[in-house]
Amino acid sequence: MNFSFKHTLYACFIGYVTQAVVSNLPSLLLIIFQEQFNLSLEKIALLITIGFSVQICIDIIAGKVVDRIGYRASIIIANLCCVGGLACMSILPEYMEPFWALLIAISLNSVGGGFIEVVISPIVEALPGEEKASAMSVLHSFYCWGLVGVIFLTTLYFTIFGLRNWIYLPIIWSIVPLINTFLFTIVPVRELVEQHERTSMRRLLTLKTFWLLFVLMICAGAAEQAMSKWSSLYAERGLGVSKAFGDLLGPCAFAALMGLARIFYSKLARKVDMKKLLMWSSVLCIFSYLIASLALDPIVALIGCALTGLAIGVMWPVTISLSSETYPRGGNSMFALLALGGDIGCAIGPSAVGIVSLAVSHSSWSLIEEIQTSSQLAEFSLRGGLLLTIIFPIIIIVCIRQLQKTKNVSVKVL
C-alpha cells in the first residue's frame, strides 16, 4: 500500500486523540484515586501541577531535540512514552506507594504529550496545500473529539464494569498511541522549514509581537484546562450530581462544543479576522465562566461549563495560525515556544483553581459560617476557584488590543 500525505494527516489526527487520552484520562480518575489511594486535594493538585511542569520542561528542550533527530523519530518516541505512561498507571500502584506510582505514570504521559504538542503542528503545517489555518483548526478539533471519546467511553466502561475495575482502562486506552507509533513509521513526513532558513529562538524572543502571542497561548491554555481538569470533580462534589451525569453534561459537552467551534472556524478561516475572533471568544469565555461559577441551579452551572468549550475552542488553533502567518520561518523553535506558553497556561489554570479552592475552604470568613456540610464547603470553594479564571480571557482581550495597535513584522524580511 502506498501511503500519501493524506495518511500523514490522519496519523496527526490520531496524535491529538492520544494527547486527549493522556491529558484527560487521569482527570476522570481523580475521585477514584482520591478514595482508593487516600490522596488529599493537595496531592491531587500536585499531580496535575507536576504533570504540566514536566511537559513544560519537554517544551523547552523539544525544539533542539526535534532539530537533531527529526520529526519522525520524535513523534515515535512521544507515542511510546504515552504507551508506557498509561500502562504504568494501571500496573505500578500495585507495587509501590500509589502517589509515586501515579507521578511516574503522569510524568511519562507528559513527556509523550509534550513532544506530540511540539511536533504535530509543524508536521501539519509542512503538508502540501494552502489552507493552513483550516487544517490546523481541524487538527486541534481532534483533541476535542478525543476528549469526548475518552469521557463517553470511560463512562460507558464504568457503567458496565464498575469503578473497581478501573485498572484495566488505561491499558485499553494505550492501544491508541500504540497504533499511532506504527503509523508514523510508514507515512511520509517532510520538514516545515530548512534548518538554515529558520529563525532562531533567540531572535524570536526579542520580538514584542511574539511575546504578545506567547501570552495569548498561556491564557488560552489556562482558560481551557482550568475547566477541563476540574469540571468533573466540580460537578460531582460541588454541584452534587452523579459522576456519569456530571461527566456527560460537564466535561463531555465542554469538549464537544470546543470541537464544534474548531470545525466551524475551519470552514470560515479565510473569511474572519483572527484577532477579532479571539476578542469575541474571550468575551464569551468570561460570560460562561461567570455562569459556571455563580449559577445556583446545578444544571445551569453545568451549561456554563459546557459553554466554556464553545468560547475557548478557537483560542489555541487561532493563536498558532496567527503566529505562523506572522512568522512563517519560525520553524521548530517557534512551535516549541508556543507549546511552552500553552503548557505554562495549562499548569497555571488548574493549579490556580486548586489553590484558590483550598484557600477558600480553609478560610474563616464569616461568609461561610452558614455552610454546614463538607459538600456545601466543596461547592463554595470550587466556585471561588473557577470564578478566578475570568482573569485569563481578560488578559487575552488586553493582548489583542495591543496586537491591533502593533504592525506585524514578518520574519521573511529579517
Side-chain angles (χ1 to χ4, degrees):
M1 179 178 179
N2 294 322
F3 290 91
S4 66
F5 285 113
K6 183 182 292 186
H7 297 99
T8 307
L9 184 61
Y10 296 157
C12 291
F13 291 163
I14 297 174
Y16 261 106
V17 173
T18 298
Q19 177 86 338
V21 172
V22 298
S23 296
N24 296 282
L25 183 61
S27 300
L28 297 176
L29 301 176
L30 285 181
I31 293 175
I32 296 174
F33 294 156
Q34 195 173 23
E35 294 177 351
Q36 183 170 332
F37 301 135
N38 196 28
L39 297 181
S40 64
L41 188 63
E42 292 92 332
K43 285 188 174 181
I44 292 293
L46 186 61
L47 284 173
I48 295 172
T49 303
I50 291 177
F52 277 117
S53 298
V54 171
Q55 197 159 327
I56 286 169
C57 292
I58 293 300
D59 293 337
I60 293 172
I61 67 171
K64 295 289 185 182
V65 173
V66 174
D67 282 341
R68 187 175 294 265
I69 68 175
Y71 289 149
R72 190 186 302 277
S74 298
I75 195 64
I76 289 173
I77 291 170
N79 279 287
L80 289 175
C81 285
C82 292
V83 173
L86 291 168
C88 287
M89 192 177 298
S90 291
I91 298 168
L92 285 187
E94 292 291 323
Y95 299 97
M96 60 188 298
E97 204 281 321
F99 173 78
W100 294 106
L102 294 174
L103 185 60
I104 291 171
I106 289 174
S107 296
L108 272 173
N109 285 337
S110 296
V111 172
F115 271 107
I116 286 174
E117 196 166 15
V118 170
V119 175
I120 289 290
S121 290
I123 289 177
V124 172
E125 192 74 19
L127 295 178
E130 299 298 325
E131 301 290 338
K132 301 298 185 182
S134 177
M136 195 66 67
S137 190
V138 174
L139 170 70
H140 284 270
S141 76
F142 271 83
Y143 175 87
C144 308
W145 308 132
L147 178 52
V148 170
V150 169
I151 295 169
F152 181 78
L153 295 177
T154 298
T155 301
L156 181 63
Y157 177 90
F158 287 145
T159 302
I160 297 173
F161 300 105
L163 297 177
R164 67 179 60 188
N165 290 310
W166 71 269
I167 59 172
Y168 305 108
L169 190 62
I171 293 178
I172 293 171
W173 278 113
S174 69
I175 295 172
V176 177
L178 192 60
I179 291 172
N180 213 28
T181 301
F182 170 73
L183 284 176
F184 271 108
T185 62
I186 56 179
V187 298
V189 176
R190 70 178 190 176
E191 294 292 319
L192 175 59
V193 183
E194 293 300 324
Q195 191 160 353
H196 67 278
E197 296 179 347
R198 296 170 188 162
T199 303
S200 69
M201 186 177 294
R202 181 177 298 178
R203 178 67 179 122
L204 284 170
L205 292 175
T206 65
L207 303 171
K208 177 184 175 182
T209 302
F210 181 79
W211 276 106
L212 290 172
L213 293 166
F214 185 78
V215 173
L216 284 180
M217 286 297 294
I218 292 175
C219 293
E224 176 183 324
Q225 291 298 317
M227 182 61 71
S228 179
K229 294 299 182 188
W230 286 101
S231 57
S232 180
L233 190 64
Y234 177 52
E236 185 171 352
R237 293 293 174 84
L239 301 178
V241 302
S242 69
K243 178 171 177 57
F245 183 78
D247 283 350
L248 291 175
L249 194 55
C252 189
F254 164 86
L257 288 177
M258 184 164 64
L260 288 174
R262 289 174 177 177
I263 290 294
F264 180 73
Y265 170 66
S266 72
K267 304 297 183 182
L268 301 175
R270 300 184 67 179
K271 301 177 183 178
V272 297
D273 185 312
M274 287 188 279
K275 295 173 186 175
K276 289 183 179 178
L277 182 59
L278 285 173
M279 181 82 74
W280 286 110
S281 296
S282 300
V283 172
L284 180 58
C285 186
I286 294 170
F287 178 70
S288 57
Y289 261 109
L290 288 174
I291 293 175
S293 59
L294 299 179
L296 298 179
D297 185 278
I299 301 300
V300 176
L302 284 172
I303 290 173
C305 293
L307 278 176
T308 308
L310 184 66
I312 59 89
V314 299
M315 289 180 179
W316 195 295
V318 168
T319 302
I320 290 177
S321 295
L322 189 60
S323 302
S324 297
E325 180 183 278
T326 307
Y327 303 113
R329 294 184 182 177
N332 298 332
S333 296
M334 182 184 73
F335 283 101
L337 286 171
L338 292 174
L340 172 62
D343 287 334
I344 289 173
C346 289
I348 290 173
S351 299
V353 173
I355 291 168
V356 172
S357 298
L358 192 63
V360 172
S361 66
H362 287 172
S363 73
S364 57
W365 299 342
S366 59
L367 181 61
I368 64 172
E369 289 179 356
E370 297 179 1
I371 296 176
Q372 301 296 322
T373 67
S374 59
S375 63
Q376 288 176 315
L377 181 58
E379 176 184 355
F380 186 83
S381 59
L382 286 170
R383 284 177 183 273
L386 289 174
L387 181 61
L388 167 80
T389 311
I390 66 170
I391 188 65
F392 301 116
I394 291 173
I395 294 174
I396 289 177
I397 292 173
V398 173
C399 288
I400 292 299
R401 293 295 296 167
Q402 289 299 312
L403 282 171
Q404 289 173 332
K405 296 176 182 178
T406 304
K407 289 185 178 180
N408 292 332
V409 180
S410 173
V411 293
K412 282 182 179 179
V413 298
L414 296 180

